[in-house]
Amino acid sequence: MSFIPNRAMYVPIKTDKRNKRWSEPKIIIFSFLAILIPGAILLTLPVFSVSGLSFVDALFTATSAISVTGLGVVDTGTHFTTSGKVLLMILMQIGGLGQMTLSAVLLYMFGLRVSLRQQSLTKEQLGQEKFTNIRLLVKHIIIFVIVCELIGTFFLSLRWVPMMGWDKGLFTAVFHSISAFNNAGFSLFSDNLTQYVDDPLVIITIAMLFILGGLGFTVISDLQRNSHRGFHFLSLHSKIMIIATPILLLVGTIMIWLLEHDNMQTLGSLNTSGQWLAAFFQSATVRTAGFNSVNIGAFTEPGLLVLMLLMLIGAGSTSTGGGIKVSTFVVAILATWSFLKQRDRVVLFKRTISNQTVTKSLAIIVVSGIVLLIAMFALMLTEKAPFYEVMFETISAFATVGVTAGLSATLSEPGKYIIIVVMIIGRLGPLTLAYMLARPKPTLLSYPEDNVAAG
């Protein structure tokens, strides 16, 4: 067929109804719901809670655990029985690993064959290349998770076993170690970790766990493969994460200290070392961990704005954390800088970032903004709360952070459902939902280029 100027080119494409129906995004979403719904139903049973739990509260809690968010409508430490707390740990571990990784683990454990589609989905969820040995990768991930959580349990036991005894102290250490590494933010203490605000053993141990979990399995596996070869041989993604993570931690710590060190309800009542420890912990935790060692609701409005920006940036891709992701943020900044410098390519560490990656990063930011605006508007209709509380809670849910300015405890039933949807979208990724909702077309049309006045 010849090309006709100013007319669309028509190229027929064969479509497979089965692929259309069971696309990767749909499989990921339905597998997530297949774990979420039974988990919520289980939490309503008397054996898992002390005084019972309504379905909406159980669904909220299960969603918060599987999406490793940490927002709660009940007190975790007093409302759930030991069985309920164990169930929450299981849900948090599933959420941190990802349902596709977990299903691959179970199939390998029982000696069953992992299908090519299953391998493809697992690699996609973990951000791996097509040639990656998925069995070896999953093995390394499980070993890394277990080792980190055991080390975390050991150090936390040093504090809590002498205080609570072996049974309760060890269980508390295990619960918080799993919650921290998976960036979940659930705590068995009613005040979260505020009573340990200036305790370096507890604060630093938990911070190191969620920082490691937030780096991403892709970065960890890359470091394992190339640790003996040096920084130059790491992937561009790993280089971005290794450099951007400490920069964000440092900038966040300094900003929080500057804005809150005179606030007697947050950092002001602590000595200098305690203030810096608390500022560091809040800087690290709001990038998706969800713990808090000071009262977040007492932050000044400028301080809350800094926290919201850190929440939006989030952790690393393929990690246990959420947010738009550090790499997405860095690519968007670099793309903007390249445009301002009138460069036609985005370059970092002598590597050109593909246009597809740049477009995807910008799309994630735009779709995330749309989701947040819709959710905030809906919550303003259902909740009688200040705008900053609505904004903070929505971003916390979307970025799967879990820190709260006080709104979660007073949410109406419609408000709970709104936050549930936001947590699910935040964990699965806004683009996953967008891909699922987009209808694939049976034809491909190629139109001539034209310009639009922008800016």
Side-chain angles (χ1 to χ4, degrees):
M1 183 177 69
S2 61
F3 176 77
I4 304 174
N6 297 323
R7 296 289 299 276
M9 291 184 66
Y10 176 83
V11 182
I13 296 178
K14 294 181 180 180
T15 58
D16 188 334
K17 292 183 178 180
R18 291 176 299 176
N19 288 341
K20 179 179 177 181
R21 184 179 179 183
W22 296 105
S23 62
E24 277 79 0
K26 286 184 179 180
I27 293 175
I28 291 173
I29 290 173
F30 289 136
S31 64
F32 184 91
L33 295 177
I35 299 171
L36 171 61
I37 302 302
I41 293 173
L42 285 175
L43 285 175
T44 62
L45 302 178
V47 67
F48 294 113
S49 63
V50 175
S51 56
L53 204 62
S54 66
F55 179 74
V56 63
D57 287 346
L59 182 63
F60 189 101
T61 304
T63 304
S64 187
I66 297 176
S67 65
V68 289
T69 301
L71 287 174
V73 289
V74 295
D75 187 333
T76 305
T78 59
H79 192 89
F80 294 101
T81 63
T82 301
S83 299
K85 294 168 186 173
V86 170
L87 178 57
L88 284 179
M89 283 192 284
I90 294 172
L91 294 177
M92 288 187 289
Q93 195 73 77
I94 292 172
L97 286 173
Q99 63 273 19
M100 290 300 160
T101 307
L102 179 71
S103 59
V105 171
L106 294 175
L107 289 172
Y108 286 135
M109 284 177 60
F110 290 102
L112 300 175
R113 180 179 175 274
V114 180
S115 68
L116 293 176
R117 170 59 68 87
Q118 176 72 45
Q119 291 186 43
S120 175
L121 287 169
T122 305
K123 290 176 185 177
E124 180 179 329
Q125 193 172 63
L126 294 173
Q128 299 296 306
E129 302 294 338
K130 293 181 179 180
F131 55 81
T132 302
N133 184 328
I134 195 64
R135 181 187 290 269
L136 187 61
L137 176 65
V138 169
K139 179 182 177 181
H140 286 164
I141 288 174
I142 297 303
I143 292 174
F144 178 73
V145 170
I146 292 174
V147 169
C148 286
E149 292 178 353
L150 284 176
I151 293 174
T153 298
F154 170 76
F155 282 106
L156 292 175
S157 296
L158 296 179
R159 172 65 68 237
W160 289 328
V161 167
M163 291 174 58
M164 307 175 187
W166 272 104
D167 291 345
K168 187 176 180 181
L170 187 59
F171 182 84
T172 302
V174 171
F175 185 95
H176 285 83
S177 181
I178 292 174
S179 180
F181 181 80
N182 291 290
N183 279 234
F186 280 94
S187 175
L188 297 181
F189 305 111
S190 299
D191 59 354
N192 208 281
L193 297 177
T194 56
Q195 61 185 297
Y196 299 101
V197 61
D198 55 356
D199 186 330
L201 178 60
V202 173
I203 294 299
I204 293 177
T205 298
I206 288 181
M208 290 302 103
L209 283 170
F210 60 64
I211 289 172
L212 283 173
L215 277 176
F217 298 125
T218 302
V219 177
I220 298 302
S221 61
D222 194 16
L223 286 171
Q224 288 177 333
R225 289 194 308 269
N226 297 292
S227 58
H228 61 289
R229 302 175 69 187
F231 182 81
H232 178 72
F233 291 93
L234 295 175
S235 68
L236 182 57
H237 172 75
S238 297
K239 291 176 181 178
I240 289 174
M241 287 302 303
I242 291 171
I243 292 176
T245 297
I247 290 176
L248 287 170
L249 282 172
L250 179 61
V251 172
T253 300
I254 293 173
M255 289 297 295
I256 291 170
W257 184 85
L258 289 174
L259 294 170
E260 299 294 327
H261 73 278
D262 287 333
N263 185 349
M264 296 304 294
Q265 294 180 291
T266 55
L267 306 185
S269 60
L270 304 171
N271 57 34
T272 302
S273 61
Q275 288 181 356
W276 283 107
L277 183 63
F280 160 76
F281 189 76
Q282 262 54 238
S283 174
T285 192
V286 293
R287 289 188 38 247
T288 80
F291 291 98
N292 62 281
S293 62
V294 296
N295 181 9
I296 299 296
F299 265 59
T300 61
E301 291 187 2
L304 288 175
L305 180 59
V306 170
L307 297 184
M308 285 188 275
L309 290 173
L310 292 172
M311 287 194 292
L312 271 176
I313 295 171
S317 298
T318 72
S319 73
T320 58
I324 63 171
K325 308 300 184 185
V326 173
S327 52
T328 302
F329 172 74
V330 171
V331 169
I333 294 295
L334 290 173
T336 304
W337 179 252
S338 296
F339 174 79
L340 294 175
K341 300 292 287 185
Q342 298 183 353
R343 296 170 182 165
D344 58 354
R345 295 181 181 180
V346 180
V347 179
L348 183 65
F349 293 116
K350 298 181 180 180
R351 293 290 186 272
T352 299
I353 299 174
S354 68
N355 290 332
Q356 182 181 10
T357 300
V358 173
T359 303
K360 182 179 179 181
S361 298
L362 296 176
I364 289 173
I365 293 172
V366 171
V367 175
S368 298
I370 293 172
V371 170
L372 286 170
L373 287 174
I374 293 173
M376 288 176 194
F377 180 76
L379 283 173
M380 283 188 285
L381 295 177
T382 62
E383 311 303 312
K384 295 180 180 179
F387 174 70
Y388 77 88
E389 284 190 10
V390 171
M391 186 177 181
F392 191 92
E393 215 78 7
T394 307
I395 294 175
S396 180
F398 175 79
T400 69
V401 177
V403 292
T404 177
L407 184 59
S408 288
T410 61
L411 281 172
S412 64
E413 187 166 318
K416 291 175 184 177
Y417 282 114
I418 292 169
I419 293 294
I420 287 170
V421 172
V422 173
M423 287 191 289
I424 292 174
I425 294 174
R427 182 54 182 159
L428 296 180
L431 280 188
T432 299
L433 181 66
Y435 287 150
M436 187 190 79
L437 296 177
R439 295 181 178 180
K441 298 179 180 180
T443 61
L444 179 65
L445 295 175
S446 178
Y447 294 99
E449 291 185 0
D450 205 342
N451 293 322
V452 176

